[in-house]
Amino acid sequence: MKKRDYKTLAWVIAAEGHIGFNHNRNSYCPVMEVGNAKEEFILKVQKMVGLGNIYSWEDRRFDGRYSNWRLTNMKDIRQILVNIFPYLPIKYQVANHIINFCTSRMSKKEDGRKHRNYTDYELYCVNRVKELNKRRKPVVDRANKLLYGITNEQD
């Protein structure tokens, strides 16, 4: 990828994307996603990055198909995040914790076991990303009030 592509990807992730963790039983996998109702847009993202998979499905909310580009390879996610980090307008704290998590997991020596326990620092990174990715209640309440006239106040 070129420098221009890293800048573009940073803004795409900021506007239409998600970086976080998938939790499966007792394991955590970093994930980078971009979703959009226009499949052509998602195809351009995949072509620009050269990695990841595209998933599409019918969605009534968007009057048709919705597409999602997803990357789950830890090494690739770390490399991309390191390169787009200087250009991220938002989500840079999340990116920093995921970079640190990936670096820590990849630096461990192979000891022959299929699953290695998570260190306290790795679990801290996971929990911090969860906290940073949570929707803030005051922001959601304000948006509901402005858009739909809905309030959470009890009558």
Side-chain angles (χ1 to χ4, degrees):
M1 288 175 63
K2 299 175 185 167
K3 184 177 179 179
R4 185 186 76 223
D5 292 338
Y6 288 125
K7 288 181 180 180
T8 303
L9 182 60
W11 280 90
V12 165
I13 288 173
E16 300 281 337
H18 167 76
I19 45 179
F21 288 100
N22 279 345
H23 182 235
N24 214 1
R25 294 188 184 173
N26 294 327
S27 66
Y28 298 97
C29 175
V31 63
M32 183 182 295
E33 298 176 309
V34 175
N36 197 289
K38 299 205 182 286
E39 191 170 6
E40 303 84 39
F41 178 77
I42 299 301
L43 289 169
K44 286 181 183 179
V45 171
Q46 185 185 37
K47 185 177 179 183
M48 179 176 53
V49 177
L51 302 165
N53 297 310
I54 293 178
Y55 303 95
S56 297
W57 62 92
E58 294 295 322
D59 196 327
R60 285 179 267 162
R61 294 177 297 168
F62 301 101
D63 295 325
R65 295 186 63 75
Y66 189 81
S67 298
N68 193 36
W69 168 80
R70 176 180 274 199
L71 182 63
T72 56
N73 182 290
M74 188 180 304
K75 186 178 178 183
D76 294 336
I77 289 174
R78 184 192 175 282
Q79 183 63 38
I80 290 170
L81 287 177
V82 165
N83 287 310
I84 70 171
F85 187 80
Y87 311 114
L88 280 172
I90 59 173
K91 302 180 183 180
Y92 46 86
Q93 289 178 321
V94 171
N96 187 42
H97 287 298
I98 292 177
I99 290 168
N100 292 338
F101 175 88
C102 293
T103 302
S104 176
R105 292 301 287 172
M106 293 184 328
S107 68
K108 290 185 176 184
K109 301 219 186 257
E110 292 294 330
D111 57 6
R113 293 187 303 166
K114 186 175 180 182
H115 301 286
R116 295 184 306 270
N117 292 335
Y118 292 100
T119 65
D120 290 339
Y121 181 69
E122 291 166 352
L123 292 175
Y124 166 78
C125 289
V126 168
N127 289 324
R128 189 69 183 121
V129 167
K130 282 184 191 177
E131 185 65 31
L132 289 168
N133 279 338
K134 276 185 185 176
R135 287 189 179 186
R136 303 291 187 247
K137 186 176 179 341
V139 173
V140 173
D141 287 347
R142 184 167 184 258
N144 283 336
K145 184 177 180 182
L146 290 172
L147 294 173
Y148 308 111
I150 300 171
T151 61
N152 287 337
E153 298 171 7
Q154 299 293 329
D155 291 332

